Amino acid sequence: MARLSSIKIHLNINIMRERIRNKFQELFATEGSVYASPGRINLIGEHTDYNGGFVFPGAIDKGMIAEIKPNGLDKVRAFSVDLNDYAEFGLKEEDAPKASWARYIFGVCREIIKRGGDVKGFDTVFAGDVPLGAGMSSSAALESTYAFALNDLYNLNIDKFELAKIGQSTEHNYCGVNCGIMDQFASVFGAKGSLIRLDCRSLEYKYFPFNPVGYKLVLLDSVVKHELASSAYNKRRQSCENAAAAIRRNHPEVEFLRDATMDMLDEVKNDISAEDYMRAEYVIGEVQRVLDVCDALEKGDYETVGQKMYETHYGMSKQYEVSCEELDYLNDIAKKCGVTGSRVMGGGFGGCTINLVKEEKYDAFIKEAFKSYTEKFGHEPKLYEVVISDGARKLA
Ligand code: ADP
Ligand code: MG
């Protein structure tokens, strides 16, 4: 089996579609329906989810595409084009396949069945072009492709939010990843030209226009992942809880840091550690920045959007301390090259920066980023241009 991370996947949807069609025909001698679902970016709103705040994702023009047809059997026969790997599995809890890619499909089937959906055996072939583990959520793209497809094929009438939750439960129960709802939500609800503000407490959401004419949105992947991530994450969460608990003594209505203001935080400055204070300062600022970016987008003010992205980077680097040398370096280059907005995307300690770049500055920025980064760190960053696109759908 080829290693997925070593495969260059960055393909046009039509090429992928032809590949899966050919393979489906070869394996099953018939034709099925075709579905697609995207990966996602998050423009702003990092470490806000577990503080009851907002995130602001959008679906991208990279995703998963799958052909699928019920086979009249009690088993699923699935082929991954990118891994050149085949798996067969039943639909009972004890039938879980070994291959990790197949567990995503199995998990989606199981989660639908647990909710009373009548899923039967099917044949499927799929491929994708979301870079793996780069922070664009290839796994959510995979889950929502199958959740959407099975819902449609078997007329299950599951609403879109539940489709996202089926993907999330798949990660929790079959893939060992205790994720929030943002990735699957964005993959299912995404819409071309829109970002979606999701309130992580109420799960209310609202679309905002994102049509940065004259700008490009580009991710620069540092290609590093520092090991600190999970213990640091737990410590950050604890700091947030400490600060919220201290504030709550004066203001009982504060359930999460999302409800707090800087004035409230200052009231308890002497009751909490300097570190907890700094972490809370970041979160309170970040919740507000998401709202500010939404206001700016309604006015088409991309300069303010960019400014807020830089502020988030500063906060993640200096207050929340979840950046790293490589990401700070990429952010500095962006600043030097006059990039409109740039920040670390995702939880931190590695992964990508997301950059909003004026078209006329784009080539010089990319050239400089590749040159300087490679000189300093001995390896190139990776580049992914993204366009905000539609969510899960059936292809005609
Ligand atoms: P990400 O941050 O991109 O979601 P994850 O580690 O959560 O990274 O998910 C990656 C996993 O999803 C892979 O190990 C594989 O099992 C599955 N996957 C993603 N893309 C593909 C693909 N194109 N083909 C087969 N499996 C895929
Ligand atoms: Mg994932």
Side-chain angles (χ1 to χ4, degrees), residues 104 133 136-140 143 171 177 179 183-184:
Y104 289 97
M136 281 169 264
S137 210
S138 62
S139 61
E143 290 142 15
E171 300 257 1
V177 180
C179 61
D183 300 352
Q184 292 78 11

